[in-house]
Amino acid sequence: MQTFNDVFALMPLMLVGATAVAIMVGIAWRRQHGATAIVTAVGLNLALLSLGWLSLLGIPGTAYFVLDGLTYMASVLILVSALACVTLAHDYLGGYSGAREEFYLLLLCAVGGGLALSASQHLATLFFALELMSMPLYGMLAYTYRDQRSLEAGLKYLILSAAGTAFLLFGMALLYAQSGRLDFEGLVTSMTSRGSLWTLAGVGLILVGLGFKLSIVPFHLWTPDVYEGGPGPAITFLATASKVAVFVVILRLILAAPAFQSGALEQVLVVLAFVSMLAGNLLALLQSNLKRLLGYSSIAHFGYLMVALVVGEGLAVETAGVYLISYLLTNLGAFGVVTLVSSPYKGEDAAALHHYRGLFWRRPYLAAVLTVSLLSLAGIPFTVGFIGKFYVIALGVEAAQWWLVVGVILGSAIGLFYYLRVMVTLYLVEPGMRRRDAVDAWGWHPSGLVVVGVVMLVVVLGIYPTPMIDWMHWVAAASR
Amino acid sequence: MELAFYLSGLVAILATLGVISGTHAVHALLYLIVSLLAVAMTFFALGAPFAGALEIIVYAGAIMVLFVFVVMMLNLGEDTQEQERAWLKPKTWLGPSLLAGVLMLVMITMLIEAGDGRLIDGDLLTAKAVGQLLFGPWLLVVELAAFLLLAALVTASHVGRLSAFQGERE
């Protein structure tokens, strides 16, 4: 039965859900773009506050949703990214002529799915939460559906994601047929007591399903097209919050099941990680579209992150946490700039590299923001990206995973080339033609403030990472 | 019983293949009904009559609605009669009815074998028990599913919106 404990444990989820319902009722009554965005932001902030309150209370969670360090970390990251997306969307959708308010409703539903996903410790809740996160994303990606590319992105994600879900479900069915349990704990005990070929097949299929959402090579084919086509705020959410949630659930599965660290599965993970690092970076090399380039780079970044999955012990949780924070902040900065340059909405996003040629001479601060984000993605010291990469390499060296260390170093070296290529473009002489540009005084728009704030965090945490590392110590300690 | 399970499973797979390979919406729907009935049959064979009954009520009902939509979207008139005559070619209905016939055979043999109708063993899951489970410990998952449907509905209504909305706004 439901107890007060259960109700408290799900406070953030319920607050997000309540906000979604409030917005739905609001839309039915009167459409008001600004008010909708404000209500959404207030709801997300309340959910953040309730998270802090919960961590003070120390409630263990319910049978289906666990409340441990990983849950808190992922929830905070998802909510922060959602807040950034709401502010970006407010400026972006200002120029959209159709219905704008539904975007926030969809965003809130996806946030609810992400929160539930990062907390789930039961295959049924995992499945529902994953679907709840993906379903609104189809709508968000196809939001500006009169633009053909946006519609294409939404449909592509819908169909391929459905195929991925089919794999996931089949894997779950195989595991259930073997063990008769759906909760992670029960699954793990049955897996360790009598692991069989069927169990292995089931885990493999689940890995395919989740690997699709993370766009790990070879399940990455949808990534560039979807990143290119989707509207800026939707892509920002897809690239940050949804990936964090899926990664955390995989990490939780792997931490719970020591079976992952032995034999065939570990080999599979090593190969997938290595291939993702190399393929992601190599494919990004000659991209002339910034969004596609960032999509490929996210494939490579999840390759690096998979080092934590392969090792799965010791510093793995801290490494994953630090890297996820750096990935999230950096990508919020990079996609934020792309969205800012494309706001307010006037057809397809300005993502081709020539749109950014000479950006420095028009908008020096915006160019600086993008430069810092790209430096952090490349892992240059004094940015948070460096701290993340340092942790990943340290973890790989400590666990003697030499192939992965080689992969990270090679990947970073290749990555530097294309990140620098974009940076050079920013400082080239401006072409004569007037291109798409950010609005004047962008820095005083809410989304401008968000982007600047995120990039300041990237630099501050790069120079003084102690608070972040302390937090991760707490997360790792609270996850055991 | 096992034979019934595997036979209906086979029928379900064949019928689903028919759905995705059909080029005509109505023909695909015919196969889809057979496929759903076959899935319901596998539930019965597994000893889950409640799930089987729900499958028939919910899905077969939904298919009827789909049929109505297809009929609505077609323009009624002289052409319609021609069209209906064209649809009634044996090629279109022979496949689904053959599969449905197999399903019926399975059901009849099951009924004859059972005799007194107590073939399904194990604990019978009643509607009450399912309801108590869903709105007891699984309440949250039900809520998640509700939000999932809400998101799907909003997505569909947004993408399916006519551009007439633009004029309404200005």
Side-chain angles (χ1 to χ4, degrees), chain A residues 2 10 64 97 102 122 128 143, chain B residues 136-138 140 158 161 166:
Chain A
Q2 312 288 317
L10 298 159
Y64 304 112
S97 57
E102 275 89 339
H122 192 278
F128 271 104
Y143 201 80
Chain B
W138 289 93
L140 246 133
H158 176 76
R161 196 190 299 269
Q166 235 170 323

Side-chain angles (χ1 to χ4, degrees), chain A residues 65 112-114 116-117 120 124-134, chain B residues 144:
Chain A
F65 296 101
L117 184 60
S120 60
T125 49
L126 185 155
F127 173 71
F128 271 104
L130 190 67
E131 282 306 290
L132 178 55
M133 198 178 66
S134 315
Chain B
L144 284 185

